[in-house]
Amino acid sequence: MQRRACLAAVGTALSTTLAGCSSVLSAFDDDPCGGEECHIGMNRTEFTPAVYEVSAGDTVVWKNTSEADHTVTAYESGIPDEAEYFASGGYESQAAAYEAWEDRGGRLGTRDTFEHTFEVPGTYEYFCIPHEGAEMIGEIVVE
């Protein structure tokens, strides 16, 4: 009888420990999106993959695959001159996105998505406002 109680206790402790690690385990996943659900995932402080290549006219889908809140915010100086500015929340400038973040504007919660269609070839640099200091930066290369 003591053996059963001991095994039950160990099993309960192990399952509780592993349940708490689900977000940690996702950090080791090379492709948190997989399939057609999204193209770029967001873990605690990075976009995965950090660099993503598409053709002009393609739509890219980001998905928050972590427990933290994130944004997808273009650097105005990091997109082609003719390109449309993009930011989660639909803001038309980097300054507007920063200002909106003060009230959590543009926030992508866990499992939320954001998408943008890239029409102009070139390199697009973007970041996550709350994790910019941790260098949560990504790049889209449009050919």
Side-chain angles (χ1 to χ4, degrees):
M1 190 65 157
Q2 288 180 353
R3 182 172 182 235
R4 284 187 192 162
C6 181
L7 289 174
V10 168
T12 301
L14 182 60
S15 63
T16 302
T17 300
L18 290 177
C21 291
S22 62
S23 63
V24 174
L25 294 174
S26 69
F28 297 106
D29 190 357
D30 288 340
D31 186 9
C33 290
E36 297 298 315
E37 191 175 320
C38 64
H39 304 104
I40 301 171
M42 299 173 223
N43 70 25
R44 185 72 179 151
T45 57
E46 65 185 358
F47 293 101
T48 305
V51 178
Y52 191 72
E53 295 182 13
V54 297
S55 297
D58 286 352
T59 298
V60 175
V61 179
W62 288 262
K63 182 176 184 179
N64 182 350
T65 54
S66 78
E67 302 296 323
D69 289 341
H70 294 292
T71 70
V72 175
T73 310
Y75 281 114
E76 284 179 325
S77 63
I79 63 175
D81 290 338
E82 309 81 32
E84 177 184 357
Y85 183 79
F86 65 95
S88 54
Y91 304 105
E92 295 183 11
S93 70
Q94 189 174 336
Y98 276 127
E99 184 177 328
W101 180 251
E102 292 175 14
D103 294 321
R104 307 295 265 182
R107 170 192 173 272
L108 296 175
T110 302
R111 307 297 178 245
D112 286 344
T113 61
F114 169 74
E115 63 182 60
H116 180 74
T117 301
F118 292 88
E119 301 290 349
V120 178
T123 299
Y124 296 72
E125 296 175 351
Y126 64 94
F127 66 103
C128 172
I129 291 174
H131 299 107
E132 185 177 17
E135 297 185 18
M136 187 171 179
I137 299 168
E139 185 176 277
I140 304 292
V141 179
V142 181
E143 298 179 1

